[in-house]
Amino acid sequence: MAKAQPFDIDREETLSSTSFSAMRRLLAYARPHWSSFLIVVGLVIVYNLTQVVQPWLVKIVIDQDLLAHHPRLHAIAVVGVFYLLVTFVGLVSNFIQNRRLQLTGQTIIRQIRQDLFAHIESLSMRFFDTHETGRLITNVTSDTNRISLFFTNFLLSVIRDGFSIMLVMAAMLLLDWKLALISFIVIPVIALISVLFRNKLRYSYGYTRSQLSRLIGYTAENLGGMRITQLFHQETKQMDQYSKLNQAYTVGNVNEFRWSVLFNRTFDALGNFSVALMAWVGGLAVLHHAIQLGVLYAFTSYIRQFFTPINSLTQQWNTLQSSMISAERIGGVLLTRPEVVEPPAPSTTDASLGRGRVAFEHVSFGYQPGQPILKDIHFQVEPRSFVGFVGQTGAGKSTLMALLTRFYDVQSGAVTIDGVDIRQVGSRDLHRIMAIVQQEVNLFSGTVADNIRLFRADISDRAVEEAAEIAGAAEFIRVMPGGYRSWLTAKGSNLSLGQRQLLAFARALTLNPRILILDEATASLDSHTEMILQQGLTRIAEGRTTLVIAHRLSTIRQADTIYVMDQGRVVEQGTHQHLIELGGYYAELVHRSGPTADVSGAADFPLD
Ligand SMILES: Nc1ncnc2c1ncn2[C@@H]1O[C@H](COP(=O)(O)OP(=O)(O)O)[C@@H](O)[C@H]1O
Ligand SMILES: [Mg+2]
């Protein structure tokens, strides 16, 4: 099970055993690419050999040719050509190796990202209740990138640098083992200094990064709420807060930069010092004819060749750690199983759910354990009837519909359609027979027609237009510059709330659902548009079971049955007339809504 991870930027980034199992899981993605990795290792070996051979060639030239009594120019030329050849081979193998590794790494990451996205889409609503969108976006984008560093940086460095250090050491030992042993003294010193600095760097890097996420988070939140900010004149306050975060981020950056400059220069100085030491010790040896000049040259080159791989290797711990943490986060998401499970063998198809009799049988449900929201809901809606639900905000009306659409599963009791428990119905079949229109309408980037048919190619233009006509959306679509081809943005800012809702109606109607759910679907409509829709509603509802959560009483006055909800229970039910005569909670709601409520029927009074 995934831990619920709030968007916590300060979370202590440490490794646990789950990181390792998550990493192992992600490593499985690399398995199909083993041959590519093998090629990379081969090329790395070739490249490293070329690097070690070069100083050796120069040494040969110096000792055997240049310093010989009769320099053999011909031999020097031969070695020179060979040197060029080696350089060329090194260049090519390095290029191919890098390219191959990047390609493989990116292919693996693409697959992980793909699976992750598909998996998130398959998860149940409760997952989205407990996981912030911000964190999920990070998971899909930057966490996957950090994992790709494992393949492209960590693995490469461990193989290339490890191998390179060993080769250089071997070459030095072969040339002159005594001098080699002396120079090996500096290796632990370099490594130690690297590690010490790395820790410092890592800390300041982590600090800067968390400051950056705060800044980004704050900016995003602020831009999202710009209307409120300006309306309530919060600009100065918001600006102060922003300045603080901005300042902290700047300090972090400056700090990080200082440490990294300090580290690089120290490292350089250490390199120069080692070469000087070598020149001194080796120079003395040359003067005493203990070694040849070429050997000294080769040693000074080799000692420089130590620095790069050691530096890069010490960096890898950070890479490993950060990619394992990302792996753990992604693994956590990938290991989350959908809570609402598909029946293994659906006993029913949508065809056999013919009539649309909806029943709640002693249903209880809560979002959190111990906090029941719906308590023993028990009623049955006849096929093709039109029923309404009223009750104050928070009474549990929308939750009831979320159970019917199976965004969540009931905790006890059952929701049935035509006597079949909806847990026995495949979600595709279930959702083919029902449609829901809510107050909040999600639009996607695409044309008006795309948004009505939701990109389903099997729905013809004609069907789209017909649905729009019935929903009452056709009128405003016709006057849009592009008609049905007008482009809509995801935020839908080029449509009014009411227009968006009419689109949602049309969208629901393209399904020709047997069960239609309207959850305060007319709340954003102005009274004129609502009246148009109201007149159409009889036509829309015809031949289907229609469940309407009413925002205004007028919408459900004519309902076959009205269910009155209070604190998760159905407290009254019956026709409008019956409930008024009952003189109970419903009558009170109606009374509270306005003096004209039960006479005109056309009154415009919110029930909640
Ligand atoms: N996704 C959710 N997670 C946790 N609690 C929720 C969630 N959705 C609704 N609730 C809670 O359930 C109760 C009923 O909400 P809801 O069904 O939306 O009421 P209504 O639609 O009647 O206004 C409320 O107390 C609300 O806070
Ligand atoms: Mg609601």
Side-chain angles (χ1 to χ4, degrees):
M1 248 329 267
K3 281 174 283 180
Q5 278 170 351
F7 194 50
D8 181 5
I9 46 177
D10 294 328
R11 193 171 83 94
E12 183 67 24
E13 301 217 325
T14 46
L15 295 178
S16 62
S17 61
T18 47
S19 332
F20 288 92
S21 62
M23 200 71 206
R24 213 170 306 129
R25 194 185 147 82
L26 291 176
L27 274 178
Y29 280 91
R31 207 168 294 139
H33 301 278
W34 66 271
S35 57
S36 276
F37 284 110
L38 217 60
I39 293 173
V40 169
V41 170
L43 289 168
V44 162
I45 292 175
V46 170
Y47 173 72
N48 277 335
L49 281 173
T50 64
Q51 296 311 99
V52 169
V53 162
Q54 286 174 359
W56 199 298
L57 288 175
V58 177
K59 178 233 167 241
I60 292 174
V61 168
I62 294 175
D63 288 344
Q64 289 175 9
D65 300 312
L66 284 180
L67 296 183
H69 293 295
H70 304 287
R72 292 171 299 165
L73 287 178
H74 175 69
I76 293 176
V78 170
V79 176
V81 169
F82 192 62
Y83 189 97
L84 279 179
L85 199 73
V86 167
T87 310
F88 181 72
V89 170
L91 207 73
V92 171
S93 58
N94 190 29
F95 175 77
I96 301 178
Q97 158 236 307
N98 267 316
R99 214 187 102 78
R100 179 48 84 121
L101 195 65
Q102 285 297 337
L103 205 71
T104 315
Q106 293 302 331
T107 312
I108 294 171
I109 290 311
R110 191 185 61 116
Q111 193 57 50
I112 294 178
R113 214 181 282 131
Q114 191 87 3
D115 289 358
L116 186 64
F117 189 75
H119 186 74
I120 289 176
E121 288 211 313
S122 80
L123 290 174
S124 307
M125 277 306 136
R126 195 183 301 275
F127 178 82
F128 299 99
D129 289 344
T130 50
H131 288 70
E132 297 236 7
T133 317
R135 169 53 75 198
L136 291 178
I137 292 173
T138 318
N139 281 159
V140 178
T141 54
S142 54
D143 278 343
T144 46
N145 278 341
R146 281 163 88 186
I147 289 176
S148 81
L149 292 184
F150 174 82
F151 295 108
T152 52
N153 287 19
F154 177 79
L155 281 186
L156 177 67
S157 172
V158 168
I159 297 168
R160 184 191 56 201
D161 302 324
F163 191 68
S164 161
I165 290 174
M166 285 193 300
L167 264 186
V168 171
M169 286 172 92
M172 287 169 106
L173 282 170
L174 273 177
L175 275 178
D176 189 298
W177 66 270
K178 275 187 256 171
L179 206 53
L181 289 182
I182 293 173
S183 19
F184 291 168
I185 295 171
V186 296
I187 297 179
V189 180
I190 311 170
L192 188 71
I193 291 187
S194 301
V195 169
L196 288 179
F197 265 103
R198 284 283 160 221
N199 280 339
K200 198 73 203 165
L201 271 174
R202 186 158 55 103
Y203 175 77
S204 54
Y205 173 71
Y207 176 80
T208 315
R209 220 175 28 152
S210 83
Q211 292 306 326
L212 180 64
S213 351
R214 276 167 196 253
L215 194 66
I216 291 175
Y218 189 78
T219 310
E221 205 174 282
N222 220 264
L223 293 180
M226 192 51 85
R227 278 171 188 239
I228 301 295
T229 303
Q230 295 193 347
L231 211 56
F232 287 84
H233 295 277
Q234 296 282 304
E235 293 96 333
T236 328
K237 228 181 184 169
Q238 306 276 5
M239 201 57 230
D240 283 350
Q241 183 67 14
Y242 186 84
S243 293
K244 274 189 207 127
L245 292 172
N246 198 4
Q247 172 71 9
Y249 177 52
T250 308
V251 169
N253 260 325
V254 170
N255 248 331
E256 188 187 331
F257 190 69
R258 182 177 38 192
W259 281 109
S260 96
V261 168
L262 210 60
F263 172 66
N264 288 330
R265 294 294 82 83
T266 309
F267 219 66
D268 284 350
L270 202 68
N272 292 334
F273 175 74
S274 313
V275 171
L277 191 73
M278 182 53 58
W280 182 50
V281 177
L284 282 179
V286 172
L287 285 180
H288 290 103
H289 298 287
I291 59 167
Q292 290 171 297
L293 182 62
V295 174
L296 178 59
Y297 166 81
F299 261 76
T300 49
S301 301
Y302 285 143
I303 217 157
R304 282 230 179 265
Q305 282 192 18
F306 267 131
F307 280 80
T308 323
I310 288 182
N311 186 13
S312 149
L313 267 181
T314 55
Q315 208 170 334
Q316 294 320 312
W317 175 241
N318 295 349
T319 311
L320 178 68
Q321 208 166 8
S322 81
S323 53
M324 291 242 268
I325 285 158
S326 293
E328 188 186 358
R329 288 202 202 114
I330 291 185
V333 175
L334 283 176
L335 290 174
T336 309
R337 298 265 68 87
E339 197 176 79
V340 173
V341 285
E342 292 281 317
S347 59
T348 334
T349 62
D350 64 308
S352 60
L353 294 171
R355 294 153 50 83
R357 171 184 286 115
V358 174
F360 285 78
E361 298 172 5
H362 299 289
V363 166
S364 295
F365 173 78
Y367 293 97
Q368 269 105 36
Q371 290 177 27
I373 298 290
L374 296 177
K375 299 150 201 161
D376 195 31
I377 301 282
H378 190 79
F379 64 83
Q380 178 171 314
V381 177
E382 289 309 313
R384 301 198 177 89
S385 60
F386 183 106
V387 299
F389 295 83
V390 294
Q392 283 179 319
T393 301
K397 306 179 297 289
S398 299
T399 305
L400 204 61
M401 300 310 156
L403 295 183
L404 179 56
T405 49
R406 216 180 163 219
F407 281 144
Y408 304 88
D409 270 340
V410 298
Q411 268 136 21
S412 65
V415 179
T416 65
I417 295 176
D418 295 303
V420 179
D421 191 323
I422 57 171
R423 283 171 290 194
Q424 303 304 321
V425 185
S427 63
R428 279 185 177 280
D429 289 316
L430 185 66
H431 294 146
R432 202 171 293 142
I433 63 163
M434 61 171 71
I436 184 164
V437 183
Q438 286 161 308
Q439 187 179 354
E440 242 173 68
V441 180
N442 281 319
L443 296 176
F444 300 90
S445 303
T447 65
V448 169
D450 291 337
N451 269 285
I452 293 178
R453 66 160 68 94
L454 269 188
F455 305 94
R456 290 163 301 181
D458 55 317
I459 295 173
S460 70
D461 282 348
R462 223 188 114 68
V464 166
E465 284 168 32
E466 246 171 43
E469 204 73 52
I470 299 174
E475 198 184 328
F476 82 84
I477 295 173
R478 262 196 292 273
V479 297
M480 286 176 81
Y484 285 87
R485 299 197 180 285
S486 311
W487 193 262
L488 298 182
T489 58
K491 264 185 96 180
S493 40
N494 38 355
L495 292 182
S496 77
L497 282 180
Q499 289 170 332
R500 275 192 256 173
Q501 225 157 29
L502 293 182
L503 274 195
F505 268 101
R507 183 188 283 170
L509 290 176
T510 56
L511 279 172
N512 192 15
R514 266 161 266 177
I515 298 169
L516 179 65
I517 303 164
L518 309 181
D519 187 349
E520 309 209 348
T522 56
S524 314
L525 300 182
D526 57 273
S527 42
H528 168 71
T529 317
E530 200 198 353
M531 209 144 75
I532 296 177
L533 195 77
Q534 189 70 49
Q535 286 157 2
L537 202 56
T538 336
R539 202 151 46 109
I540 292 173
E542 202 172 271
R544 3 179 166 268
T545 310
T546 312
L547 296 87
V548 180
I549 296 178
H551 175 69
R552 295 184 182 114
L553 182 62
S554 52
T555 327
I556 51 152
R557 264 180 80 95
Q558 310 300 332
D560 298 318
T561 311
I562 296 170
Y563 296 93
V564 188
M565 293 190 65
D566 186 31
Q567 294 178 29
R569 291 181 196 280
V570 173
V571 290
E572 290 168 12
Q573 65 186 70
T575 60
H576 174 77
Q577 201 56 39
H578 169 80
L579 291 172
I580 289 291
E581 280 163 16
L582 199 67
Y585 186 48
Y586 180 80
E588 187 195 321
L589 279 178
V590 170
H591 180 69
R592 248 197 278 154
S593 307
T596 53
D598 52 345
V599 276
S600 76
D604 190 29
F605 30 69
L607 277 171
D608 60 16

